[in-house]
Amino acid sequence: WFEGYEWIVRANPDISLVDPLPLEARMASSASAVLFICGIRGDTPRVDSDFFAGRPELMDQEYWTRMPPADPSMRKEIE
């Protein structure tokens, strides 16, 4: 589903990039993903799921079909 893309970016509709330069810099590097920490529970950082960017070739492609999407109509899009 993500063939041909170097990066995929997922953002909630209420997310806006005020300054895209830090994201562009990370995407121009050899990074596998760009994640943001939204807090720490115990010793474990919590990753913010409102926004992420990642290289699809490094993702588990089967994950998208194993997990039920929040929007059931999305399943038709990824199958």
mmCIF file of all heavy atoms in Angstrom, residues 16-52:
data_model
loop_
_atom_site.group_PDB
_atom_site.id
_atom_site.type_symbol
_atom_site.label_atom_id
_atom_site.label_comp_id
_atom_site.label_asym_id
_atom_site.label_seq_id
_atom_site.Cartn_x
_atom_site.Cartn_y
_atom_site.Cartn_z
ATOM 1 N N SER A 16 -0.814 20.967 13.341
ATOM 2 C CA SER A 16 -0.228 21.857 12.333
ATOM 3 C C SER A 16 1.251 22.020 12.648
ATOM 4 O O SER A 16 1.649 22.064 13.803
ATOM 5 C CB SER A 16 -0.931 23.223 12.306
ATOM 6 O OG SER A 16 -0.794 23.856 13.544
ATOM 7 N N LEU A 17 2.048 22.076 11.611
ATOM 8 C CA LEU A 17 3.487 22.271 11.771
ATOM 9 C C LEU A 17 3.778 23.763 11.686
ATOM 10 O O LEU A 17 3.639 24.360 10.619
ATOM 11 C CB LEU A 17 4.259 21.522 10.685
ATOM 12 C CG LEU A 17 4.161 20.002 10.738
ATOM 13 C CD1 LEU A 17 4.880 19.395 9.546
ATOM 14 C CD2 LEU A 17 4.720 19.467 12.030
ATOM 15 N N VAL A 18 4.163 24.329 12.794
ATOM 16 C CA VAL A 18 4.486 25.747 12.825
ATOM 17 C C VAL A 18 5.826 25.977 12.133
ATOM 18 O O VAL A 18 5.986 26.916 11.367
ATOM 19 C CB VAL A 18 4.515 26.267 14.278
ATOM 20 C CG1 VAL A 18 4.954 27.716 14.330
ATOM 21 C CG2 VAL A 18 3.143 26.092 14.924
ATOM 22 N N ASP A 19 6.769 25.085 12.392
ATOM 23 C CA ASP A 19 8.093 25.169 11.777
ATOM 24 C C ASP A 19 8.443 23.783 11.243
ATOM 25 O O ASP A 19 8.799 22.888 12.011
ATOM 26 C CB ASP A 19 9.129 25.627 12.797
ATOM 27 C CG ASP A 19 10.525 25.745 12.218
ATOM 28 O OD1 ASP A 19 10.709 25.525 10.997
ATOM 29 O OD2 ASP A 19 11.452 26.057 12.987
ATOM 30 N N PRO A 20 8.340 23.555 9.941
ATOM 31 C CA PRO A 20 8.606 22.226 9.388
ATOM 32 C C PRO A 20 10.091 21.874 9.294
ATOM 33 O O PRO A 20 10.432 20.730 8.998
ATOM 34 C CB PRO A 20 7.978 22.294 7.999
ATOM 35 C CG PRO A 20 8.075 23.727 7.623
ATOM 36 C CD PRO A 20 7.879 24.489 8.918
ATOM 37 N N LEU A 21 10.982 22.814 9.547
ATOM 38 C CA LEU A 21 12.412 22.558 9.366
ATOM 39 C C LEU A 21 12.952 21.418 10.231
ATOM 40 O O LEU A 21 13.728 20.597 9.732
ATOM 41 C CB LEU A 21 13.212 23.843 9.573
ATOM 42 C CG LEU A 21 12.963 24.936 8.519
ATOM 43 C CD1 LEU A 21 13.791 26.179 8.831
ATOM 44 C CD2 LEU A 21 13.250 24.429 7.128
ATOM 45 N N PRO A 22 12.588 21.307 11.524
ATOM 46 C CA PRO A 22 13.091 20.161 12.297
ATOM 47 C C PRO A 22 12.633 18.820 11.725
ATOM 48 O O PRO A 22 13.413 17.865 11.667
ATOM 49 C CB PRO A 22 12.512 20.392 13.697
ATOM 50 C CG PRO A 22 12.297 21.869 13.778
ATOM 51 C CD PRO A 22 11.889 22.265 12.379
ATOM 52 N N LEU A 23 11.397 18.751 11.264
ATOM 53 C CA LEU A 23 10.904 17.517 10.647
ATOM 54 C C LEU A 23 11.657 17.231 9.345
ATOM 55 O O LEU A 23 12.106 16.112 9.106
ATOM 56 C CB LEU A 23 9.402 17.614 10.375
ATOM 57 C CG LEU A 23 8.785 16.438 9.625
ATOM 58 C CD1 LEU A 23 8.949 15.140 10.401
ATOM 59 C CD2 LEU A 23 7.328 16.720 9.313
ATOM 60 N N GLU A 24 11.825 18.248 8.527
ATOM 61 C CA GLU A 24 12.556 18.075 7.266
ATOM 62 C C GLU A 24 13.976 17.608 7.516
ATOM 63 O O GLU A 24 14.493 16.744 6.798
ATOM 64 C CB GLU A 24 12.550 19.374 6.481
ATOM 65 C CG GLU A 24 11.195 19.741 5.922
ATOM 66 C CD GLU A 24 11.174 21.118 5.277
ATOM 67 O OE1 GLU A 24 12.243 21.764 5.165
ATOM 68 O OE2 GLU A 24 10.084 21.550 4.881
ATOM 69 N N ALA A 25 14.626 18.154 8.539
ATOM 70 C CA ALA A 25 16.006 17.761 8.857
ATOM 71 C C ALA A 25 16.068 16.291 9.268
ATOM 72 O O ALA A 25 16.955 15.556 8.831
ATOM 73 C CB ALA A 25 16.570 18.643 9.964
ATOM 74 N N ARG A 26 15.132 15.845 10.083
ATOM 75 C CA ARG A 26 15.121 14.441 10.498
ATOM 76 C C ARG A 26 14.810 13.522 9.315
ATOM 77 O O ARG A 26 15.361 12.438 9.199
ATOM 78 C CB ARG A 26 14.132 14.239 11.633
ATOM 79 C CG ARG A 26 14.654 14.800 12.948
ATOM 80 C CD ARG A 26 13.649 14.668 14.054
ATOM 81 N NE ARG A 26 14.154 15.168 15.311
ATOM 82 C CZ ARG A 26 14.093 16.433 15.701
ATOM 83 N NH1 ARG A 26 13.566 17.341 14.901
ATOM 84 N NH2 ARG A 26 14.578 16.811 16.861
ATOM 85 N N MET A 27 13.921 13.971 8.440
ATOM 86 C CA MET A 27 13.586 13.146 7.285
ATOM 87 C C MET A 27 14.726 13.112 6.266
ATOM 88 O O MET A 27 14.832 12.155 5.492
ATOM 89 C CB MET A 27 12.290 13.645 6.645
ATOM 90 C CG MET A 27 11.068 13.383 7.524
ATOM 91 S SD MET A 27 9.552 14.121 6.915
ATOM 92 C CE MET A 27 9.163 13.014 5.566
ATOM 93 N N ALA A 28 15.583 14.105 6.258
ATOM 94 C CA ALA A 28 16.731 14.126 5.350
ATOM 95 C C ALA A 28 17.886 13.292 5.895
ATOM 96 O O ALA A 28 18.822 12.982 5.166
ATOM 97 C CB ALA A 28 17.185 15.565 5.113
ATOM 98 N N SER A 29 17.819 12.910 7.167
ATOM 99 C CA SER A 29 18.870 12.104 7.779
ATOM 100 C C SER A 29 18.610 10.626 7.497
ATOM 101 O O SER A 29 17.713 10.270 6.745
ATOM 102 C CB SER A 29 18.901 12.361 9.292
ATOM 103 O OG SER A 29 17.805 11.724 9.924
ATOM 104 N N SER A 30 19.368 9.780 8.152
ATOM 105 C CA SER A 30 19.169 8.338 7.983
ATOM 106 C C SER A 30 18.155 7.783 8.980
ATOM 107 O O SER A 30 18.057 6.568 9.149
ATOM 108 C CB SER A 30 20.507 7.614 8.136
ATOM 109 O OG SER A 30 21.029 7.846 9.434
ATOM 110 N N ALA A 31 17.380 8.654 9.612
ATOM 111 C CA ALA A 31 16.387 8.214 10.600
ATOM 112 C C ALA A 31 15.389 7.235 9.982
ATOM 113 O O ALA A 31 15.054 7.332 8.804
ATOM 114 C CB ALA A 31 15.639 9.419 11.161
ATOM 115 N N SER A 32 14.930 6.301 10.796
ATOM 116 C CA SER A 32 13.909 5.346 10.363
ATOM 117 C C SER A 32 12.513 5.898 10.579
ATOM 118 O O SER A 32 11.585 5.548 9.863
ATOM 119 C CB SER A 32 14.035 4.042 11.146
ATOM 120 O OG SER A 32 15.294 3.472 10.936
ATOM 121 N N ALA A 33 12.380 6.742 11.615
ATOM 122 C CA ALA A 33 11.071 7.294 11.960
ATOM 123 C C ALA A 33 11.268 8.604 12.707
ATOM 124 O O ALA A 33 12.344 8.882 13.231
ATOM 125 C CB ALA A 33 10.292 6.314 12.820
ATOM 126 N N VAL A 34 10.215 9.390 12.745
ATOM 127 C CA VAL A 34 10.186 10.623 13.533
ATOM 128 C C VAL A 34 9.008 10.479 14.491
ATOM 129 O O VAL A 34 7.856 10.382 14.059
ATOM 130 C CB VAL A 34 10.012 11.877 12.647
ATOM 131 C CG1 VAL A 34 9.980 13.128 13.506
ATOM 132 C CG2 VAL A 34 11.114 11.964 11.605
ATOM 133 N N LEU A 35 9.324 10.398 15.772
ATOM 134 C CA LEU A 35 8.314 10.212 16.814
ATOM 135 C C LEU A 35 8.474 11.307 17.852
ATOM 136 O O LEU A 35 9.568 11.843 18.038
ATOM 137 C CB LEU A 35 8.487 8.846 17.492
ATOM 138 C CG LEU A 35 8.524 7.634 16.577
ATOM 139 C CD1 LEU A 35 8.934 6.398 17.352
ATOM 140 C CD2 LEU A 35 7.188 7.426 15.906
ATOM 141 N N PHE A 36 7.406 11.616 18.540
ATOM 142 C CA PHE A 36 7.449 12.616 19.594
ATOM 143 C C PHE A 36 7.009 11.981 20.898
ATOM 144 O O PHE A 36 6.053 11.206 20.930
ATOM 145 C CB PHE A 36 6.556 13.816 19.248
ATOM 146 C CG PHE A 36 7.054 14.575 18.067
ATOM 147 C CD1 PHE A 36 6.599 14.279 16.793
ATOM 148 C CD2 PHE A 36 8.016 15.557 18.214
ATOM 149 C CE1 PHE A 36 7.079 14.955 15.687
ATOM 150 C CE2 PHE A 36 8.509 16.239 17.111
ATOM 151 C CZ PHE A 36 8.035 15.936 15.849
ATOM 152 N N ILE A 37 7.703 12.313 21.971
ATOM 153 C CA ILE A 37 7.383 11.802 23.292
ATOM 154 C C ILE A 37 6.385 12.753 23.942
ATOM 155 O O ILE A 37 6.607 13.965 23.976
ATOM 156 C CB ILE A 37 8.657 11.682 24.162
ATOM 157 C CG1 ILE A 37 9.693 10.781 23.480
ATOM 158 C CG2 ILE A 37 8.320 11.174 25.557
ATOM 159 C CD1 ILE A 37 9.242 9.373 23.217
ATOM 160 N N CYS A 38 5.284 12.213 24.459
ATOM 161 C CA CYS A 38 4.269 13.066 25.068
ATOM 162 C C CYS A 38 4.230 12.913 26.582
ATOM 163 O O CYS A 38 3.370 13.483 27.238
ATOM 164 C CB CYS A 38 2.891 12.801 24.459
ATOM 165 S SG CYS A 38 2.268 11.140 24.745
ATOM 166 N N GLY A 39 5.146 12.165 27.128
ATOM 167 C CA GLY A 39 5.197 11.994 28.578
ATOM 168 C C GLY A 39 5.925 10.715 28.921
ATOM 169 O O GLY A 39 6.358 9.964 28.045
ATOM 170 N N ILE A 40 6.068 10.474 30.203
ATOM 171 C CA ILE A 40 6.752 9.273 30.670
ATOM 172 C C ILE A 40 5.899 8.647 31.768
ATOM 173 O O ILE A 40 5.434 9.339 32.674
ATOM 174 C CB ILE A 40 8.168 9.592 31.188
ATOM 175 C CG1 ILE A 40 9.011 10.144 30.044
ATOM 176 C CG2 ILE A 40 8.809 8.364 31.814
ATOM 177 C CD1 ILE A 40 10.407 10.552 30.444
ATOM 178 N N ARG A 41 5.666 7.358 31.653
ATOM 179 C CA ARG A 41 4.949 6.611 32.685
ATOM 180 C C ARG A 41 5.957 5.656 33.299
ATOM 181 O O ARG A 41 6.414 4.737 32.624
ATOM 182 C CB ARG A 41 3.770 5.855 32.104
ATOM 183 C CG ARG A 41 3.019 5.046 33.156
ATOM 184 C CD ARG A 41 1.807 4.360 32.608
ATOM 185 N NE ARG A 41 0.804 5.372 32.293
ATOM 186 C CZ ARG A 41 -0.200 5.194 31.456
ATOM 187 N NH1 ARG A 41 -0.335 4.062 30.824
ATOM 188 N NH2 ARG A 41 -1.077 6.151 31.230
ATOM 189 N N GLY A 42 6.320 5.922 34.555
ATOM 190 C CA GLY A 42 7.385 5.139 35.174
ATOM 191 C C GLY A 42 8.692 5.467 34.458
ATOM 192 O O GLY A 42 9.087 6.618 34.365
ATOM 193 N N ASP A 43 9.334 4.447 33.925
ATOM 194 C CA ASP A 43 10.571 4.638 33.152
ATOM 195 C C ASP A 43 10.327 4.551 31.653
ATOM 196 O O ASP A 43 11.259 4.579 30.867
ATOM 197 C CB ASP A 43 11.606 3.575 33.539
ATOM 198 C CG ASP A 43 12.094 3.738 34.965
ATOM 199 O OD1 ASP A 43 12.083 4.876 35.457
ATOM 200 O OD2 ASP A 43 12.477 2.722 35.576
ATOM 201 N N THR A 44 9.065 4.433 31.256
ATOM 202 C CA THR A 44 8.742 4.189 29.856
ATOM 203 C C THR A 44 8.228 5.452 29.175
ATOM 204 O O THR A 44 7.198 5.996 29.577
ATOM 205 C CB THR A 44 7.667 3.087 29.740
ATOM 206 O OG1 THR A 44 8.117 1.929 30.437
ATOM 207 C CG2 THR A 44 7.400 2.749 28.286
ATOM 208 N N PRO A 45 8.934 5.920 28.141
ATOM 209 C CA PRO A 45 8.423 7.078 27.386
ATOM 210 C C PRO A 45 7.136 6.693 26.658
ATOM 211 O O PRO A 45 6.988 5.570 26.176
ATOM 212 C CB PRO A 45 9.533 7.380 26.374
ATOM 213 C CG PRO A 45 10.720 6.617 26.832
ATOM 214 C CD PRO A 45 10.222 5.474 27.656
ATOM 215 N N ARG A 46 6.211 7.617 26.578
ATOM 216 C CA ARG A 46 4.952 7.411 25.849
ATOM 217 C C ARG A 46 5.042 8.177 24.541
ATOM 218 O O ARG A 46 5.277 9.374 24.523
ATOM 219 C CB ARG A 46 3.783 7.894 26.687
ATOM 220 C CG ARG A 46 3.647 7.091 27.973
ATOM 221 C CD ARG A 46 2.499 7.545 28.798
ATOM 222 N NE ARG A 46 1.279 7.397 28.014
ATOM 223 C CZ ARG A 46 0.114 7.902 28.374
ATOM 224 N NH1 ARG A 46 0.013 8.592 29.486
ATOM 225 N NH2 ARG A 46 -0.954 7.736 27.630
ATOM 226 N N VAL A 47 4.858 7.460 23.453
ATOM 227 C CA VAL A 47 4.947 8.062 22.129
ATOM 228 C C VAL A 47 3.607 8.695 21.773
ATOM 229 O O VAL A 47 2.557 8.082 21.938
ATOM 230 C CB VAL A 47 5.350 7.015 21.068
ATOM 231 C CG1 VAL A 47 5.334 7.611 19.675
ATOM 232 C CG2 VAL A 47 6.710 6.430 21.394
ATOM 233 N N ASP A 48 3.650 9.913 21.285
ATOM 234 C CA ASP A 48 2.449 10.634 20.869
ATOM 235 C C ASP A 48 1.957 10.036 19.564
ATOM 236 O O ASP A 48 2.685 9.979 18.576
ATOM 237 C CB ASP A 48 2.797 12.113 20.683
ATOM 238 C CG ASP A 48 1.585 12.975 20.435
ATOM 239 O OD1 ASP A 48 0.540 12.445 20.035
ATOM 240 O OD2 ASP A 48 1.686 14.193 20.639
ATOM 241 N N SER A 49 0.712 9.573 19.549
ATOM 242 C CA SER A 49 0.173 8.958 18.342
ATOM 243 C C SER A 49 -0.565 9.957 17.448
ATOM 244 O O SER A 49 -1.086 9.590 16.402
ATOM 245 C CB SER A 49 -0.775 7.807 18.706
ATOM 246 O OG SER A 49 -1.869 8.305 19.454
ATOM 247 N N ASP A 50 -0.600 11.234 17.844
ATOM 248 C CA ASP A 50 -1.253 12.245 17.015
ATOM 249 C C ASP A 50 -0.460 12.555 15.751
ATOM 250 O O ASP A 50 -1.007 13.052 14.772
ATOM 251 C CB ASP A 50 -1.458 13.545 17.787
ATOM 252 C CG ASP A 50 -2.505 13.426 18.867
ATOM 253 O OD1 ASP A 50 -3.184 12.386 18.928
ATOM 254 O OD2 ASP A 50 -2.644 14.358 19.670
ATOM 255 N N PHE A 51 0.844 12.257 15.790
ATOM 256 C CA PHE A 51 1.706 12.544 14.647
ATOM 257 C C PHE A 51 2.866 11.567 14.638
ATOM 258 O O PHE A 51 3.455 11.284 15.678
ATOM 259 C CB PHE A 51 2.267 13.969 14.738
ATOM 260 C CG PHE A 51 3.262 14.253 13.647
ATOM 261 C CD1 PHE A 51 2.841 14.760 12.430
ATOM 262 C CD2 PHE A 51 4.602 13.959 13.811
ATOM 263 C CE1 PHE A 51 3.746 14.984 11.402
ATOM 264 C CE2 PHE A 51 5.513 14.180 12.789
ATOM 265 C CZ PHE A 51 5.077 14.696 11.589
ATOM 266 N N PHE A 52 3.193 11.043 13.465
ATOM 267 C CA PHE A 52 4.439 10.311 13.290
ATOM 268 C C PHE A 52 4.789 10.300 11.812
ATOM 269 O O PHE A 52 3.939 10.520 10.948
ATOM 270 C CB PHE A 52 4.397 8.890 13.860
ATOM 271 C CG PHE A 52 3.564 7.906 13.085
ATOM 272 C CD1 PHE A 52 4.074 7.266 11.971
ATOM 273 C CD2 PHE A 52 2.276 7.613 13.483
ATOM 274 C CE1 PHE A 52 3.310 6.354 11.254
ATOM 275 C CE2 PHE A 52 1.502 6.698 12.778
ATOM 276 C CZ PHE A 52 2.023 6.069 11.665
#
